[in-house]
Amino acid sequence: MKRIMACFLALVLAFCTVGAMAAGRENKLVVGSTTALSGNFFSPAFGSNTSDLDVQTLLHGYHLVKWNGDEGSYVLNDRVVTSLVKTEDSQGNRTYTLTLCEDLRYSDGTPITARDYAFSILLNASAQMAEIGGAADGGACLLGAADYKDGAKALKGVRVLNDSHLAITVSAEYRPFFYELGLLDYAPYPISVIAPGCQVKDDGEGAYIDGAFTADVLRGTMLDAQTGYVTHPSVVSGMYTLVSYDGAQAEFELNRNYKLAERDTVPIKRIVFKTVSNDTMIDELQNGTVDLLTKVTSASAVEQGNKLPYAYAKVSYPRTGLSMISFCCESSAVSSQAVRQAIAYCTDRDAIVSSYVGANGQRVDGYYGVGQWVYQLVSGKMAAPVARVSNAASDEEKAAYNATMADWNSLSLANVATYALNLDAAKALLDQDGWALNADGIREKLVGDQTVQLKLSLVYPEGNTIADALQAHMVENLAQVGIELTLQAKPMAELLKLYYRQEARDCDMIYLATNFSVCFDPSATFSPDDAAQGVSNRTAIADEELYQLAKDMSSTVPGDLLGYCRKWIAFQERYAEILPAIPVYSNNYNDYYTKRLKSFKVSERVSWAEAIEDAYRDDVQP
């Protein structure tokens, strides 16, 4: 009997100890990604990689609209907006008058009002933002945007009616716009931090910033390396606040003033986001130093991850972006379309894909990702959105259905140039363009009064094993046609400054990957205007036809899916012809994580940073 009692007491003690450990376990999630943070935590205005975008999602919330994947369109964010009224004037300018919720707060507890959204728009459309190196094209669609950027006091297209009512007017020249409500995708930013001493006012002719709103002020409040809002945003509107960032790792804490949806579980309190390597990431997951691995693409890492034991879970989802070799077209050598095409013919992308991502990815030939809805439709991976007709339908109805289906079935990427490996084609292009071999076996040409040699350099992210594949399947091929290419590794932060043209570039190509926003509007990216050169137009390409095709695509009437797809194909065909960048691959992302993480529905959201809002740890007690 004593032995039975002793065993019983031991079991009770063990149970209590485990319960105490679970109850006292730190409610923290460590997230690992192979894409190193560059520290652009404000917005894409200063450039961002995929990890930076995830951080922006954590920190900046309460967007006026959100993407509804089920409907395939933008909808109002009902956590922020209670009602929307649309009106249109005789010139075709459309005004959206929004009523905001009155319980929105920044992380420091101060109220978020219509003035905060107006400040966000005014800031991102301002000449001052452009002066400090940020993209200032976010409000280009608004009535009076050009005048405002040229020095007008107020922006006519933004009205602050009162603290809870905001009116945004889209200029007639930007309508129709396929992603209509996507033009309202603004989040609030704190004027007290970014432009201290300033206020947003509206005297009836549009909103404006009153006070010392200068480029010098913004350089101090936004770009300071230690305290600037771009890398160290202190007051935010998202679910998490930034606790620390040391250049390699960022830590976040739950924003107690964030308006969460009703839930029965405990949200994750702390998040650590750090860089991991393809070689060791799966080991880190198993030994507990990482809880979630996101956007895993390397073939070797995926192979290891797929062998994880039952205690771990995996989710795969198609990427809405691609990897590419982006040209610096201001360079005399690669400003030539023939040279860019010749380099493409020397790049064995199939071999690169096979060696780097394996069956997890596929070669792409245009500016798209396999996860984009339009690619899914055009490639036939998604059924055409056409309602079937019943057997009882009239002959006229059946004929209309067959004609519509024929239109959808005619969509094809067959005319997009593929540049399969062909050294002879590369040599012919270079010969025709006047690039002759010199005594050293390097191609050269007289451009103006200078002799330009095809001795090129390509920058890639430091630590990325893609270098081996580029060396074997690109560099060695180029040497055979008279082009010398040197690979140079750079830290991600430095690489992005080059890519976004925030520093003078002495390279000819940059290897990196990008993901597209749901609102796919590449017109600013390929605008030939001088004002777009820099953060907006990263490649320095100036092709009026490509730009007009992008504008035409975005100007499709909302709901005209077939028309949009046709214009998208035309854009891809021109892109592949002039090659601002060589598309390499798109792929499935794979996230691996401990099964202690519950309700992590990343495949239903845009990223892990969005999916984390509904997730929780089952080993943490309320």
Side-chain angles (χ1 to χ4, degrees):
M1 184 67 178
K2 289 181 180 180
R3 182 177 296 176
I4 293 173
M5 287 299 295
C7 291
F8 175 75
L9 289 172
L11 286 171
V12 170
L13 180 61
F15 177 80
C16 292
T17 301
V18 171
M21 288 175 61
R25 186 183 298 276
E26 185 179 7
N27 189 0
K28 182 174 77 171
L29 190 77
V30 181
V31 183
S33 171
T34 58
T35 301
L37 294 164
S38 76
N40 288 316
F41 298 160
F42 165 61
S43 82
F46 290 94
S48 302
N49 62 33
T50 58
S51 290
D52 293 331
L53 290 172
D54 290 337
V55 172
Q56 292 169 22
T57 298
L58 294 175
L59 296 178
H60 307 294
Y62 295 145
H63 289 253
L64 295 173
V65 295
K66 61 183 180 180
W67 178 253
N68 185 318
D70 294 333
E71 296 182 12
S73 64
Y74 279 94
V75 296
L76 290 178
N77 185 348
D78 56 11
R79 201 176 298 184
V80 176
V81 180
T82 62
S83 67
L84 170 67
V85 176
K86 289 191 286 187
T87 56
E88 197 169 310
D89 65 19
S90 58
Q91 285 76 45
N93 304 310
R94 176 168 288 179
T95 298
Y96 304 84
T97 302
L98 303 104
T99 303
L100 306 179
C101 297
E102 298 183 4
D103 59 350
L104 307 177
R105 297 285 185 274
Y106 283 116
S107 56
D108 66 350
T110 57
I112 296 173
T113 71
R115 298 181 192 279
D116 294 278
Y117 287 95
F119 172 66
S120 173
I121 300 170
L122 292 167
L123 171 67
N124 283 290
S126 69
Q128 291 87 337
M129 176 68 89
E131 193 174 339
I132 67 171
D137 53 13
C141 63
L142 303 181
L143 184 67
D147 292 337
Y148 175 69
K149 192 166 291 187
D150 287 342
K153 175 183 176 181
L155 178 52
K156 292 180 181 179
V158 180
R159 297 291 319 281
V160 177
L161 307 180
N162 55 48
D163 281 353
S164 58
H165 288 82
L166 177 73
I168 300 175
T169 301
V170 175
S171 174
E173 65 180 291
Y174 277 84
R175 298 187 52 239
F177 187 77
F178 186 73
Y179 298 97
E180 181 177 352
L181 282 184
L183 295 175
L184 307 184
D185 189 14
Y186 294 105
Y189 295 110
I191 192 171
S192 61
V193 176
I194 296 174
C198 295
Q199 291 181 305
V200 171
K201 294 185 177 181
D202 188 333
D203 301 331
E205 298 298 322
Y208 64 93
I209 298 173
D210 183 47
F213 182 68
T214 67
D216 285 340
V217 167
L218 294 184
R219 283 192 188 94
T221 61
M222 299 190 74
L223 301 183
D224 184 274
Q226 302 302 318
T227 61
Y229 198 82
V230 170
T231 53
H232 293 82
S234 53
V235 177
V236 296
S237 58
M239 184 174 173
Y240 289 89
T241 62
L242 181 67
V243 176
S244 65
Y245 170 59
D246 61 9
Q249 177 175 296
E251 187 167 352
F252 310 89
E253 187 171 57
L254 187 68
N255 175 6
R256 297 298 183 183
N257 287 297
Y258 183 73
K259 186 168 68 170
L260 283 167
E262 291 187 12
R263 56 189 294 164
D264 298 324
T265 56
V266 180
I268 293 168
K269 181 180 179 181
R270 298 182 76 84
I271 293 176
V272 174
F273 192 25
K274 69 175 192 175
T275 305
V276 293
S277 75
N278 285 318
D279 294 336
T280 61
M281 63 166 67
I282 301 300
D283 292 335
E284 285 202 57
L285 181 62
Q286 288 191 278
N287 65 31
T289 56
V290 172
D291 302 299
L292 164 65
L293 296 171
T294 184
K295 300 182 179 73
V296 180
T297 60
S298 164
S300 59
V302 170
E303 183 180 1
Q304 280 185 281
N306 290 344
K307 296 176 182 177
L308 283 166
Y310 179 75
Y312 301 93
K314 170 192 174 181
V315 60
S316 295
Y317 48 102
R319 182 179 193 168
T320 58
L322 78 162
S323 77
M324 60 186 176
I325 299 168
S326 182
F327 287 109
C328 306
C329 294
E330 71 275 20
S331 160
S332 296
V334 298
S335 64
S336 164
Q337 178 175 306
V339 170
R340 297 196 300 272
Q341 291 177 336
I343 293 172
Y345 274 123
C346 293
T347 305
D348 191 346
R349 292 175 295 144
D350 288 325
I352 292 173
V353 173
S354 177
S355 64
Y356 188 62
V357 293
N360 191 51
Q362 67 179 64
R363 191 196 75 215
V364 291
D365 299 306
Y367 196 61
Y368 58 84
V370 294
Q372 286 182 288
W373 67 267
V374 62
Y375 171 79
Q376 295 278 317
L377 280 175
V378 169
S379 63
K381 298 180 184 299
M382 182 188 299
V386 181
R388 290 185 175 275
V389 294
S390 67
N391 292 331
S394 66
D395 291 341
E396 184 177 350
E397 290 172 330
K398 290 178 180 178
Y401 169 80
N402 290 334
T404 300
M405 287 303 301
D407 286 339
W408 278 102
N409 292 333
S410 69
L411 298 178
S412 170
L413 290 170
N415 292 325
V416 174
T418 59
Y419 300 99
L421 182 65
N422 189 331
L423 302 189
D424 289 336
K427 292 174 183 177
L429 279 168
L430 295 171
D431 290 339
Q432 293 164 14
D433 202 41
W435 297 90
L437 290 170
N438 63 19
D440 297 322
I442 303 297
R443 298 267 182 171
E444 64 181 26
K445 177 182 177 180
L446 187 65
V447 180
D449 58 355
Q450 290 187 331
T451 298
V452 177
Q453 292 188 346
L454 294 187
K455 299 179 74 170
L456 310 178
S457 63
L458 181 151
V459 171
Y460 69 95
E462 190 174 70
N464 194 318
T465 57
I466 192 68
D468 295 336
L470 293 175
Q471 179 66 41
H473 306 299
M474 181 183 186
V475 175
E476 294 176 10
N477 292 334
L478 288 169
Q480 296 184 53
V481 303
I483 299 177
E484 180 182 301
L485 179 63
T486 301
L487 303 180
Q488 183 180 7
K490 281 191 178 293
M492 180 60 78
E494 293 182 26
L495 180 148
L496 289 179
K497 286 180 180 178
L498 293 174
Y499 177 64
Y500 287 108
R501 303 171 72 183
Q502 294 163 326
E503 293 184 353
R505 304 198 288 202
D506 58 0
C507 58
D508 304 283
M509 290 170 266
I510 301 171
Y511 175 85
L512 76 168
T514 188
N515 285 345
F516 303 117
S517 68
V518 174
C519 184
F520 182 66
D521 177 17
S523 56
T525 305
F526 301 109
S527 171
D529 294 345
D530 290 341
Q533 303 304 309
V535 177
S536 295
N537 186 332
R538 281 86 73 175
T539 63
I541 198 76
D543 185 79
E544 186 66 31
E545 183 178 346
L546 182 69
Y547 172 65
Q548 290 301 329
L549 287 169
K551 290 280 290 183
D552 189 38
M553 177 171 55
S554 297
S555 299
T556 307
V557 174
D560 182 8
L561 299 180
L562 180 61
Y564 184 89
C565 288
R566 284 172 170 159
K567 295 175 181 179
W568 181 85
I569 291 171
F571 168 82
Q572 299 297 343
E573 289 173 350
R574 181 61 179 171
Y575 179 93
E577 179 182 356
I578 66 169
L579 281 182
I582 300 174
V584 181
Y585 71 83
S586 187
N587 56 282
N588 282 335
Y589 277 142
N590 298 276
D591 287 9
Y592 298 95
Y593 56 95
T594 170
K595 284 188 177 178
R596 290 292 189 182
L597 180 64
K598 302 296 184 182
S599 291
F600 180 64
K601 302 175 182 178
V602 66
S603 59
E604 299 175 16
R605 308 294 287 270
V606 175
S607 70
W608 74 267
E610 286 193 13
I612 213 67
E613 180 167 336
D614 300 319
Y616 65 95
R617 292 191 66 118
D618 72 351
D619 54 348
V620 174
Q621 302 300 314

